[in-house]
Amino acid sequence: MARSANQNRIMIVGTVAVITLGIIAVDQIKNAIAEKRASAPETPAVELTAETIFPNNTLVAPDADNDGLFDWEETVRGTDSNNPDTDGDGALDGTEARGGRDPLTPGPDDMLFATSSSTPSLFYNPGSLSEIVSSKLISNYLLLKQSGKMTDDTIPALTAQIAAEAREEVSIPDKYSVFELQTVSDADTEKVRQYGNAFAGTYTRYTIALASVSKNTTPEDYVNTLKAYYQSFAEELSMMPVPDGAVAAHLDFTNNLYRASVYLPKLLLTGNDPVYSLLAQQNYDALPTTQREHLKSLALYFKSNGILFDSNELGNVWNDF
């Protein structure tokens, strides 16, 4: 097979180098090249994110007139994408659409539908998480298609980011903090024992109460009853003197009770905000496992501090964890 011009050049240069520098010099050159390659940093793989796919925050489709409706939404609704107030009633098209009003009919008598949970709409309840998620998904799909960047990698990457943002919207921050708790020293074994008995008694009482709530009622009444119990349970725990070493587990358990009371009503939103309802359901279903881990932490705290409860004490439940 004939050699290429480049191959011939390389061969000539290599021969000259051997003759001129000698075998030792060539070996030194080879070693230097190998060391340089070994020390050269590897080019990091670019992570597919919204920013790497669409730089400069062009994650979602444009809103030419800045009225709160994406241009594709304006096309679907029949509003003017270059006029922020299509019907001229002084309210932005996006404000009207998200509020259940008709952006094509001058207000104030332009309500399209009631915004109760029993009345779903084509775009879900105005301002709902479902509407936000669906808008972003459709917007990014169109943007990917228009830009020629729709691949087997970009769609999952953007979808994952939107899903992560949705989960963040559903997450509930702590209500109770260490600054609101009354704490006692771990060295005060009598108060630590009192805490163990008080927590156990409160836990047992509310566990029985929650289990006895009748399901033979409306979903709203059932949820509201459970919600009230969770809130009351959390409030009682928040006012309890807590040993320093048990503060973290105590607060986590108490804040999860609060979260349960917030998530419960959201489970009824399947009609007009199914995305929020689904994510709330997932978070709510995960709470029992998390709560048991916090109880195990408290039981370990008592054992580590040499606190053993007698069979006639409410705190004897900790002995079984």
Side-chain angles (χ1 to χ4, degrees), residues 239-258:
M239 295 183 289
M240 191 176 292
V242 183
D244 293 325
V247 165
H250 182 95
L251 276 176
D252 287 339
F253 189 93
T254 305
N255 279 310
N256 275 346
L257 291 174
Y258 165 70

Side-chain angles (χ1 to χ4, degrees), residues 122-144:
L122 175 63
F123 293 92
Y124 302 114
N125 195 44
S128 68
L129 185 60
S130 297
E131 183 188 37
I132 294 171
V133 168
S134 61
S135 295
K136 285 186 176 181
L137 284 173
I138 296 174
S139 298
N140 288 304
Y141 175 85
L142 294 176
L143 196 55
L144 283 171

